Amino acid sequence: MNVGDLIKHGSMKHWTLDGPNRLVKVVSPTSDRAVQQYGSALGYVTQEKYLYGKVANEIERLLGLRPHELRQMAYVYALERLPTAEEVGFRLNCAFPDGRVFDAAGVTGMMAAREAYSDHRDVYERSMTPVSQFYQPGSGMVPQWELTSPVPVAGKIATVTDVFAFPRANGSIKPYTPHNRGAIR
């Protein structure tokens, strides 16, 4: 086993199927169609606790999604089972779009996407509303994993809007704060 595998396995050891360490998939209303059709999730996931008390646009920024992708709302799904090590890749945290450092090439891509957005080109891929087609860096405090194989979803656990925040199981919308830090940003 190499160092990368050790890091990945270490990142997986606290996953659960319920509670704050549950893996969740956040999708826009447009992407929800694919989850509903196939009954599975693919792509990036994180742990539920990082979403507590956040509204849709805060989740969008936290996870580093495309600007305005969750403009109206977001759906949050739980996984039916935990992914195996072969079905997932550890992508550090949400500050790394697509698991990579946001460097000069990322800035160039962002500027090109903004220009296309301004010219009303390439704005509707997987979105009901116009969005710029680049992923911004998200929070360095939120871990992310990429599901490389479809994993069945257990069901939708929340609908989040710009008014209704993602709740804890008891209905509280108190944000998650690690024991030694302030709120997750």
Side-chain angles (χ1 to χ4, degrees), residues 50-101:
Y50 298 104
L51 306 181
Y52 291 151
K54 306 286 186 209
V55 294
N57 67 341
E58 291 173 323
I59 291 173
E60 176 185 285
R61 284 193 312 272
L62 192 76
L63 298 181
L65 300 177
R66 297 176 300 179
H68 308 300
E69 185 168 0
L70 303 181
R71 186 178 300 189
Q72 280 93 16
M73 69 179 59
Y75 298 121
V76 182
Y77 284 89
L79 301 182
E80 187 173 285
R81 63 173 177 76
L82 296 178
T84 64
E86 292 75 33
E87 295 173 316
V88 69
F90 181 45
R91 299 295 181 249
L92 302 175
N93 59 57
C94 295
F96 295 93
D98 202 23
R100 291 188 224 119
V101 173

Side-chain angles (χ1 to χ4, degrees), residues 65-184:
L65 300 177
R66 297 176 300 179
H68 308 300
E69 185 168 0
L70 303 181
R71 186 178 300 189
Q72 280 93 16
M73 69 179 59
Y75 298 121
V76 182
Y77 284 89
L79 301 182
E80 187 173 285
R81 63 173 177 76
L82 296 178
T84 64
E86 292 75 33
E87 295 173 316
V88 69
F90 181 45
R91 299 295 181 249
L92 302 175
N93 59 57
C94 295
F96 295 93
D98 202 23
R100 291 188 224 119
V101 173
F102 192 73
D103 56 8
V107 172
T108 301
M110 176 185 71
M111 297 309 291
R114 283 184 176 177
E115 184 177 319
Y117 181 82
S118 295
D119 294 340
H120 306 289
R121 294 181 286 115
D122 192 27
V123 294
Y124 288 103
E125 182 186 324
R126 291 189 352 235
S127 179
M128 310 189 294
T129 60
V131 297
S132 185
Q133 300 298 324
F134 77 94
Y135 290 91
Q136 57 197 348
S139 173
M141 296 175 75
V142 178
Q144 65 179 352
W145 296 267
E146 183 180 10
L147 298 176
T148 55
S149 298
V151 175
V153 293
K156 192 180 298 180
I157 59 172
T159 299
V160 181
T161 68
D162 60 346
V163 175
F164 297 106
F166 183 78
R168 293 171 181 264
N170 66 3
S172 166
I173 57 169
K174 178 183 182 286
Y176 170 71
T177 51
H179 71 283
N180 61 348
R181 298 185 180 135
I184 299 295

